[in-house]
Amino acid sequence: MNYYMGVDAGGSKTHCLIVDASGEPCGIGISGNGNHQTNADAEHEIAAACTQALNEAGLRQDEIAFAYFGLAGADREPDYKVLRPMIARLQYPRTDIACDTMIAMRAGSQASHGAVVISGTGFNAAARNRDGRELQYGGFGYLFGDGQGSGRDLANLSLRAAVRAWDLRGPQTLLQELVLRSTGFSSIPEVLDAMLDEGYEPPLQLAEQVFIAAEAGDTVAEGILSEQGTELGNAAAALIRRLDMEEDHFDLVLGGSILSKSRTDLMREALAKRVHETAPYARIRRIEMEPVIGAVLSAMDRDGYVPQDEVTERLKKIMIADRKGEMEL
């Protein structure tokens, strides 16, 4: 029996999952921040999660057919110069590393190639073509070419629209009332004074107000969501063009709280419209499994193992979050 390991190492937690070839979970490990860019002890956290999973499965490193690591912060070659030796020190016989964005893509895709757009607190987009070539965008901010479709960006745009409505530089919008209600301030000048004098930063919850306003028919909020959805689609379309995937059939996976849990379809519809202008055969899908399961499927891909439908269905039922209370260090 072959065993496959997947690791999802993010900025707040690290998940490790070991399954057998039938998709049955054998071992789970959970630890803390596994991003080497933000945690000097990221190697320890990744190793701890892997050790937990191995111990629960009763396995050794050399019994893992393939281990696949989806790592936050695996963005550029300087990152990989740090990460390759880090993962090698874990002593698994066969491994591969990718940005955690790629395992999110695999968690929602029916194949090992495709594209993904993630919009949560931040933004990322990535794609892999049939030849295995990968590219990614995002995570570095507006000055690096990113759009403004992340939760942080939408919170800022929500406040900006409220300010412009108050000072008459922009159209009237329900966002003015919603921003004040959400932040507890009595007026827009109070918000501005707090920002200028006290370092106040618009809270992330203001992003949700854009969706609430749009759901109520506010044209300013609708415009924000449509514009930013188009820009997220533009990022995916650019990757698709660079990887020569325009005529291919593949899944474009949507992840992150902004895209997967939004209260209106405006942003997703604008994203899909822009992508289909470039890639008419792309199928728009939401992430169906936890990202760590995308890492497990990537391990199977790299081993040349094609799981049957019943294996995939079994993997979909695995919920790492249910184990957090009993497993967290």
Side-chain angles (χ1 to χ4, degrees), residues 91 152 170 198 239 261 269 306:
Q91 299 183 332
R152 176 73 268 160
E198 302 168 21
L239 292 169
K261 301 176 183 178
E269 289 173 353
V306 180

Side-chain angles (χ1 to χ4, degrees), residues 17-317:
L17 172 65
I18 299 173
V19 305
D20 63 24
S22 72
E24 285 289 345
C26 303
I28 293 172
I30 298 174
S31 61
N33 180 352
N35 185 339
H36 75 287
Q37 294 178 347
T38 59
N39 181 15
D41 292 325
E43 181 174 353
H44 166 78
E45 298 294 347
I46 294 170
C50 292
T51 299
Q52 286 181 41
L54 283 171
N55 289 342
E56 183 173 306
L59 296 171
R60 304 182 309 271
Q61 287 100 320
D62 61 6
E63 294 179 285
I64 302 298
F66 206 98
Y68 197 94
F69 295 81
L71 305 177
D75 300 320
R76 303 166 56 238
E77 181 56 29
D79 296 306
Y80 281 87
K81 288 181 178 178
V82 174
L83 295 172
R84 290 188 192 103
M86 177 191 296
I87 298 306
R89 285 192 289 270
L90 299 178
Q91 299 183 332
Y92 293 92
R94 303 172 67 210
T95 65
D96 204 354
I97 304 168
C99 176
D100 57 347
T101 309
M102 295 307 305
I103 63 171
M105 183 274 286
R106 190 63 182 92
S109 174
Q110 294 181 328
S112 61
H113 69 285
V116 59
V117 175
I118 296 178
S119 177
T121 302
F123 151 75
N124 285 99
R128 177 191 294 136
N129 65 15
R130 289 182 182 273
D131 297 330
R133 193 157 63 93
E134 299 176 0
L135 289 172
Q136 68 179 67
Y137 287 149
F140 296 109
Y142 188 75
L143 292 179
F144 290 84
D146 293 356
Q148 298 188 74
S150 71
R152 176 73 268 160
D153 296 323
L154 290 179
N156 292 342
L157 290 169
S158 178
L159 177 63
R160 173 181 165 83
V163 171
R164 289 171 65 83
W166 167 75
D167 67 14
L168 302 184
R169 282 183 290 178
Q172 293 303 295
T173 170
L174 181 59
L175 286 169
Q176 184 173 345
E177 174 188 339
L178 292 175
V179 164
L180 294 176
R181 186 188 306 169
S182 180
T183 59
F185 289 98
S186 62
S187 69
I188 294 298
E190 281 190 16
V191 181
L192 298 177
D193 287 342
M195 293 174 65
L196 292 168
D197 301 331
E198 302 168 21
Y200 178 78
E201 183 177 10
L204 279 171
Q205 69 200 48
L206 292 188
E208 184 181 5
Q209 307 311 307
V210 183
F211 291 97
I212 293 173
E215 194 175 32
D218 184 88
T219 57
V220 172
E222 289 176 343
I224 289 172
L225 294 180
S226 294
E227 181 179 356
Q228 300 315 317
T230 298
E231 178 54 33
L232 293 180
N234 183 55
L239 292 169
I240 290 164
R241 290 197 306 273
R242 290 181 63 188
L243 291 170
D244 299 318
M245 298 170 64
E246 296 99 316
E247 299 301 318
D248 201 357
H249 293 72
F250 62 88
D251 295 322
L252 171 65
V253 178
L254 306 182
S257 57
I258 296 297
L259 286 173
S260 63
K261 301 176 183 178
S262 59
R263 304 165 61 117
T264 169
D265 287 331
L266 279 171
M267 182 178 256
R268 289 191 295 266
E269 289 173 353
L271 186 158
K273 179 180 178 182
R274 175 64 191 89
V275 167
H276 285 146
E277 290 172 359
T278 297
Y281 306 115
R283 299 175 295 267
I284 311 298
R285 301 169 60 94
R286 298 191 191 189
I287 292 179
E288 298 180 347
M289 297 176 274
E290 296 198 43
V292 70
I293 300 173
V296 167
L297 286 167
S298 297
M300 292 177 174
D301 294 338
R302 293 287 284 110
D303 192 44
Y305 173 61
V306 180
Q308 300 298 310
D309 290 343
E310 60 267 23
V311 175
T312 304
E313 289 302 313
R314 199 168 289 127
L315 290 172
K316 287 180 182 178
K317 297 176 182 178

